[in-house]
Amino acid sequence: MMKFLLPLVSVLCFSFSVSAAQLSSFTANKVQKATQLQQEEKLGEAITLLADLTPSSNYDKAFVGRILGVYYWQAEKPEQASKVLARAVALQALEPQDQWSTQRMLADVLFSEQKFELASKNYQALLVSNYVPSKESEKLKLQKDKNELHLRIATSFYQLQQWESVITHARHYQSATSQETIQALRLTVVAQLQLKRWFDSEQTLSDLIRHEPNNITWWHQQISTQLQQNKSSRALETYALAKHQGVEFSQSDYKTLAQLYAQHKMPERAARIIQELMDEFPESKTEKLWKLQATYWQVAKEWESALSAWKNAMDKNPKHSWSLAKLQIQQGDYQAALKTMARAEKYAKPEQYGLAKIRLFYKLGRIHDALATAKRLDERHPSQAAAGWVQYLQHQVKMN
């Protein structure tokens, strides 16, 4: 968690100028001396001077505590800073504006030190404070400050994993810049996802995509929420839009997109996505991917492309020779199938292989080879199909 820089020095100087007259003369002199030491970069001495003070009035105690809190913060002693600021706030003795800003300092220190539960309590107390400035400019500043508190509170609850409260305060925050809008939306969408509010998170992610169209994380999460709602077609559209946007896809992205196309009975598009994947990532040209593409092409009845993909898969692993041979026979490429069949025998079931070989020999006009193959098959693996081929081929031999 980043540490927020607090504008404590400027606040302190302003408050001192308007409030010092209310201090006892003794405390005022000590505060003046501490201020001089601080300006002379003698921060340690300034802290010692103020820490040793024992004012009698609550106002003096709170005022000194407020200054001391700033000095501790500047000395990188947040624990001490939060303690003295908490005591100053608890006294409820400062002027309304100083009281409000002191509690804001306390909340910011706690927030920067990741004490989110305490920080959020102080921030929320500030939101319901009765302090109303007299000047219009100060009213506008207070309104702006309170608006900012919602984002701090939302962030605190985010760290505490109190997701409902994250959403509540993030929604109340009125963003002034695009970056602030994105920050609020990020907090919101994480909370919605944690609460499994898929529809709400889908809408928030649409807003995030509009602000950061090249952030692939939002596209991924958008697709995920759509799939959670069984909106596969919407998920497919989202992937297509991301690709059109020029978002860089990973190998996993391409594979998921291909699967979505296949699930929506668009195998040709799925096969083309696999080709894009292999073109983009040459190292992805694995046996598994060639097989996947061949399957998509085959379902799409793009026979030439399927044959090419099966050949590539076979080059990676000869076990795919059987799939290639079957398709070659189907497409009437018998000479090529005969060569492929020589490699495929050990990768096919004997019955299936034998029947395919009989058919192949028959198509090539090699009746005697087909009959011999049919007889062997019928002897080793008797079946109605094998017996039928034997009977048919014997008749063909007699006829010739």
Side-chain angles (χ1 to χ4, degrees):
M1 169 64 62
M2 67 174 290
K3 291 189 177 183
F4 288 82
L5 297 178
L6 311 179
L8 300 181
V9 176
S10 60
V11 172
L12 172 63
C13 292
F14 173 79
S15 296
F16 180 79
S17 64
V18 298
S19 305
Q22 301 179 40
L23 291 171
S24 66
S25 58
F26 177 81
T27 301
N29 288 333
K30 293 294 183 180
V31 167
Q32 185 64 45
K33 177 61 176 176
T35 302
Q36 291 174 354
L37 290 169
Q38 186 268 347
Q39 292 173 349
E40 294 170 2
E41 300 185 359
K42 297 177 181 179
L43 190 58
E45 293 181 35
I47 289 173
T48 300
L49 176 60
L50 293 179
D52 289 341
L53 283 178
T54 56
S56 57
S57 74
N58 284 345
Y59 179 82
D60 283 17
K61 290 176 183 178
F63 192 89
V64 170
R66 185 169 190 267
I67 301 173
L68 191 55
V70 175
Y71 289 173
Y72 275 133
W73 173 259
Q74 292 176 337
E76 298 184 357
K77 295 180 179 180
E79 285 287 340
Q80 290 93 323
S82 62
K83 286 179 181 178
V84 296
L85 288 171
R87 287 197 293 267
V89 169
L91 289 169
Q92 295 287 318
L94 296 170
E95 293 297 317
Q97 181 178 357
D98 292 341
Q99 181 73 23
W100 198 94
S101 61
T102 302
Q103 189 161 17
R104 172 65 190 270
M105 292 182 206
L106 171 61
D108 284 346
V109 171
L110 293 167
F111 183 91
S112 69
E113 291 304 301
Q114 302 184 34
K115 295 179 179 179
F116 299 111
E117 187 170 1
L118 287 172
S120 66
K121 288 179 179 178
N122 281 278
Y123 284 136
Q124 289 178 88
L126 290 167
L127 283 178
V128 298
S129 168
N130 293 325
Y131 163 55
V132 179
S134 56
K135 296 181 180 178
E136 191 61 32
S137 60
E138 291 176 355
K139 288 181 181 178
L140 292 173
K141 182 180 183 304
L142 179 62
Q143 184 179 358
K144 180 180 177 183
D145 287 345
K146 284 191 172 184
N147 178 54
E148 183 182 327
L149 294 183
H150 282 294
L151 188 59
R152 291 290 182 92
I153 295 169
T155 305
S156 298
F157 281 127
Y158 173 90
Q159 296 295 336
L160 295 168
Q161 299 185 16
Q162 296 182 20
W163 307 119
E164 290 283 4
S165 297
V166 171
I167 294 170
T168 298
H169 287 280
R171 283 177 176 168
H172 276 90
Y173 179 66
Q174 301 296 316
S175 304
T177 66
S178 176
Q179 194 56 43
E180 290 174 352
T181 300
I182 292 169
Q183 187 177 355
L185 288 172
R186 285 177 173 175
L187 293 171
T188 300
V189 77
V190 171
Q192 290 168 336
L193 290 170
Q194 290 293 331
L195 293 169
K196 297 183 179 181
R197 294 180 182 172
W198 309 124
F199 178 80
D200 292 342
S201 58
E202 181 184 358
Q203 308 311 307
T204 304
L205 285 161
S206 294
D207 292 337
L208 278 166
I209 287 170
R210 281 195 290 273
H211 285 281
E212 294 186 319
N214 295 318
N215 189 331
I216 198 167
T217 299
W218 308 140
W219 294 98
H220 282 169
Q221 290 182 336
Q222 177 79 298
I223 291 162
S224 177
T225 60
Q226 289 164 342
L227 292 176
Q228 288 287 351
Q229 300 173 80
N230 296 317
K231 296 179 179 178
S232 298
S233 58
R234 289 287 297 277
L236 189 59
E237 292 172 7
T238 301
Y239 254 123
L241 285 170
K243 195 168 185 302
H244 181 73
Q245 176 65 29
V247 174
E248 291 187 8
F249 277 28
S250 67
Q251 293 188 40
S252 176
D253 296 329
Y254 279 109
K255 290 175 184 176
T256 302
L257 180 56
Q259 289 170 1
L260 285 172
Y261 276 121
Q263 289 169 8
H264 282 76
K265 299 181 180 180
M266 292 185 273
E268 179 182 357
R269 189 68 185 126
R272 294 189 186 281
I273 292 297
I274 294 296
Q275 188 59 52
E276 291 179 23
L277 163 58
M278 293 190 287
D279 291 343
E280 186 71 22
F281 301 95
E283 69 277 11
S284 71
K285 295 179 180 180
T286 60
E287 166 206 345
K288 184 177 180 180
L289 205 58
W290 282 121
K291 176 187 175 183
L292 183 62
Q293 188 190 45
T295 302
Y296 288 151
W297 282 129
Q298 198 159 330
V299 173
K301 298 182 180 180
E302 294 286 344
W303 308 120
E304 289 300 319
S305 297
L307 286 167
S308 177
W310 280 124
K311 287 175 185 177
N312 287 320
M314 185 182 68
D315 289 342
K316 296 289 185 180
N317 191 328
K319 73 178 183 181
H320 299 297
S321 56
W322 174 233
S323 296
L324 175 59
K326 288 189 291 182
L327 187 56
Q328 287 171 328
I329 294 171
Q330 175 187 311
Q331 293 305 112
D333 193 356
Y334 303 122
Q335 291 294 342
L338 190 62
K339 293 180 181 178
T340 307
M341 286 285 286
R343 305 177 61 181
E345 184 171 5
K346 63 181 179 180
Y347 303 109
K349 292 181 179 180
E351 301 92 327
Q352 294 177 346
Y353 181 81
L355 290 171
K357 196 168 184 181
I358 293 166
R359 183 185 175 202
L360 180 56
F361 281 140
Y362 177 75
K363 291 292 185 180
L364 287 168
R366 295 168 57 174
I367 305 299
H368 290 283
D369 289 334
L371 178 56
T373 302
K375 287 180 177 180
R376 284 196 299 273
L377 179 61
D378 193 38
E379 290 172 1
R380 296 173 183 174
H381 303 281
S383 68
Q384 188 175 358
W389 269 111
V390 170
Q391 184 179 359
Y392 175 76
L393 291 168
Q394 284 176 336
H395 178 72
Q396 291 294 312
V397 169
K398 289 179 182 179
M399 291 289 293
N400 293 330

